[in-house]
Amino acid sequence: MSRSARPLTSARVLHKIKALTTPQSSEQFVVNRNPRNLERLRIAYKPSGYHLEKPGRSYWHTLEINTSGRYVSADVKHYENGTILSASTAEWAIKQQLYKTNDTSAFVNLGRVLAQRCLQSGITEMTCNVDAVAGSKLQKLLQTLQDNGVSFQEPTRLVNSQPWDAYRHEKPWEVSEKSIPATPAKTDAIKSKQK
């Protein structure tokens, strides 16, 4: 039997995985397993777009919702990489749980599924340029996303402070004692020590 035609065994698969994951050289190198890390630290490049564009392109992630006659789909798009996450009522697993694929419950459940996928992938903030009428199905989808932990406001990008700047922003990875809120037990203990 030729080498390529042998059946796969767990030992062969494990050997192949180890061969692929071990570094080839003796030098230590770092692989960033989270490509969104710089965005979470607020230091990644954020495009500003053109000032005449409506609604603008100043975002890292944005939400796009497409409705057709039968289905609803929601996509989270990155400014550079395109669609990162998507959920649609046309997906078999979602469609099997719905009575109709474009009614109010479909919008609400699509919001729940998309929020869960966003939180699992580490995306908690995005922009949303969707104008929804109060009380509409689209408004309920957006409200469900917000109720499940997704914010529709992205933090501003940190710009480098210049030596002549009077005010320097606090870095998100540095925590000062002034910014930590005091718990009621700590404040009571401090007051009793002062007496």
Side-chain angles (χ1 to χ4, degrees):
M1 191 180 269
S2 70
R3 185 176 190 107
S4 62
R6 290 191 322 202
L8 285 176
T9 62
S10 59
R12 283 186 62 209
V13 172
L14 184 62
H15 176 70
K16 188 69 172 175
I17 290 172
K18 285 183 181 177
L20 291 174
T21 57
T22 54
Q24 301 297 335
S25 64
S26 62
E27 297 177 8
Q28 292 289 334
F29 61 92
V30 177
V31 176
N32 184 6
R33 294 174 57 190
N34 183 1
R36 309 283 177 244
N37 188 30
L38 296 177
E39 294 166 5
R40 299 287 296 166
L41 292 173
R42 298 172 37 197
I43 57 177
Y45 170 74
K46 191 177 201 179
S48 57
Y50 298 103
H51 66 282
L52 294 177
E53 282 184 317
K54 178 105 174 128
R57 278 189 286 172
S58 182
Y59 60 82
W60 286 306
H61 301 100
T62 187
L63 176 68
E64 289 187 3
I65 301 171
N66 301 318
T67 58
S68 67
R70 284 182 80 178
Y71 301 111
V72 181
S73 65
D75 301 326
V76 176
K77 294 192 174 191
H78 190 260
Y79 78 95
E80 192 175 45
N81 301 335
T83 302
I84 297 174
L85 292 170
S86 65
S88 175
T89 56
E91 293 177 21
W92 183 84
I94 298 174
K95 187 177 7 178
Q96 293 300 313
Q97 303 297 323
L98 299 174
Y99 180 70
K100 286 182 72 176
T101 56
N102 63 355
D103 62 347
T104 305
S105 69
F107 275 78
V108 171
N109 287 313
L110 183 68
R112 288 182 189 152
V113 170
L114 186 65
Q116 179 185 6
R117 291 179 184 177
C118 287
L119 295 178
Q120 285 177 346
S121 64
I123 298 172
T124 57
E125 297 106 4
M126 66 182 76
T127 60
C128 179
N129 297 322
V130 177
D131 294 329
V133 178
S136 66
K137 296 186 277 190
L138 194 55
Q139 176 64 33
K140 292 182 181 180
L141 184 142
L142 297 175
Q143 186 62 43
T144 304
L145 276 168
Q146 288 179 332
D147 292 343
N148 286 304
V150 176
S151 173
F152 289 139
Q153 275 191 327
E154 284 187 335
T156 58
R157 181 177 181 257
L158 286 176
V159 293
N160 288 336
S161 299
Q162 300 296 331
W164 52 83
D165 289 343
Y167 176 73
R168 294 174 189 261
H169 296 284
E170 183 177 352
K171 306 289 190 276
W173 55 87
E174 295 175 355
V175 178
S176 64
E177 292 179 11
K178 294 177 187 175
S179 64
I180 299 174
T183 60
K186 287 182 181 179
T187 54
D188 293 340
I190 292 170
K191 288 179 182 177
S192 65
K193 286 182 182 180
Q194 291 176 351
K195 289 182 182 179

